[in-house]
Amino acid sequence: MDPIIMIGVPPVLIAVIAVPLALVLGITVGCWNYRDRCEAEDAAEVAAAASESDGADA
């Protein structure tokens, strides 16, 4: 194989494989964190509503 082609292959692999893979991974982790945060906020709202209704009955 030509040495110039061998030198040029790693940057091409990085640009074509590693960068899109990193973007997909970052977006996936961001979506998971967003979903977890939304679920935690929803649970907090339900707990607050339950405590308010318990306080109103007493």
Side-chain angles (χ1 to χ4, degrees):
M1 201 172 196
D2 190 10
I4 294 174
I5 293 173
M6 291 175 63
I7 291 171
V9 169
V12 170
L13 289 177
I14 289 171
V16 172
I17 296 172
V19 171
L21 185 62
L23 287 174
V24 169
L25 185 61
I27 291 169
T28 302
V29 170
C31 288
W32 282 338
N33 290 338
Y34 179 76
R35 186 187 62 184
D36 290 344
R37 186 175 63 213
C38 289
E39 288 175 356
E41 290 173 356
D42 292 343
E45 289 176 4
V46 169
S51 67
E52 287 176 3
S53 67
D54 290 343
D57 294 339

